[in-house]
Amino acid sequence: MSFRPLRDSAMPDTPDYRAMLATAVAEARRGLAEGGIPIGAALYHGDGHLLGCGHNRRVQEGDPSVHGETDAFRKAGRQRSYRDTIMVTTLAPCWYCSGLVRQFNIGTVVVGESANFRGGIDWLRENGINVVELDDPECIEMLGDWIAANPEVWNEDIGED
């Protein structure tokens, strides 16, 4: 893992969200290669240092709690505060992961895409979380193709009968 700060050179005080998303996309691809759901996430400090990254491993581990965001959060380890952290995820967080963001007051959530699943992003915004939607075509296509091929597993993942 690289711990170099990720900053947009045009705006030195703004994190480079697209570069951060690349970490989450790599994790999503890792999950897909393992036979799982292609959703990845990374938790960064506000200064751009990577704290932890992970991917959805529900299928691989048979554990319904291992979503991309929870995996990245766990791998980041304890932080004194999460207000100055950025959760970057390839897909809008579900209610479970949105609850994690609110519980620990993660300051910003960067969403690769919300076209395939809207999740709790409106609720996060209503509760003061800065949500940045990137509408990334790669994220939309990767998960959209997977959902089309695996609708039963997808419905299980989002809690649909």
Side-chain angles (χ1 to χ4, degrees):
M1 278 187 241
S2 171
F3 289 101
R4 67 180 177 81
L6 295 173
R7 295 277 176 199
D8 184 328
S9 60
M11 298 185 70
D13 292 333
T14 303
D16 185 347
Y17 295 138
R18 293 260 173 211
M20 291 176 169
L21 180 62
T23 302
V25 169
E27 285 291 327
R29 291 200 175 286
R30 180 177 293 149
L32 183 61
E34 294 170 357
I37 303 167
I39 302 170
L43 186 65
Y44 282 89
H45 188 272
D47 67 5
H49 285 89
L50 178 64
L51 299 170
C53 56
H55 55 277
N56 186 303
R57 292 183 285 118
R58 294 181 70 254
V59 173
Q60 300 91 309
E61 295 187 9
D63 181 345
S65 70
V66 188
H67 288 208
E69 297 89 340
T70 60
D71 194 33
F73 183 78
R74 289 173 180 156
K75 288 179 178 171
R78 273 180 68 193
Q79 306 296 313
R80 182 178 169 105
S81 172
Y82 294 90
R83 283 196 193 282
D84 193 27
T85 61
I86 303 165
M87 178 65 78
V88 183
T89 180
T90 57
L91 179 67
C94 68
W95 289 108
Y96 169 58
C97 295
S98 293
L100 176 126
V101 168
R102 285 285 296 123
Q103 173 71 32
F104 291 96
N105 296 308
I106 292 172
T108 300
V109 176
V110 175
V111 176
E113 70 107 339
S114 60
N116 285 301
F117 180 71
R118 188 103 183 123
I121 60 176
D122 294 327
W123 178 74
L124 289 171
R125 281 188 176 119
E126 290 166 8
N127 284 279
I129 305 298
N130 178 34
V131 178
V132 178
E133 292 184 75
L134 298 179
D135 298 318
D136 184 80
E138 181 180 9
C139 291
I140 294 168
E141 182 179 356
M142 181 172 31
L143 186 61
D145 290 350
W146 188 89
I147 290 170
N150 301 278
E152 299 85 16
V153 179
W154 173 247
N155 287 335
E156 175 189 324
D157 191 63
I158 61 171
E160 296 291 322
D161 291 323

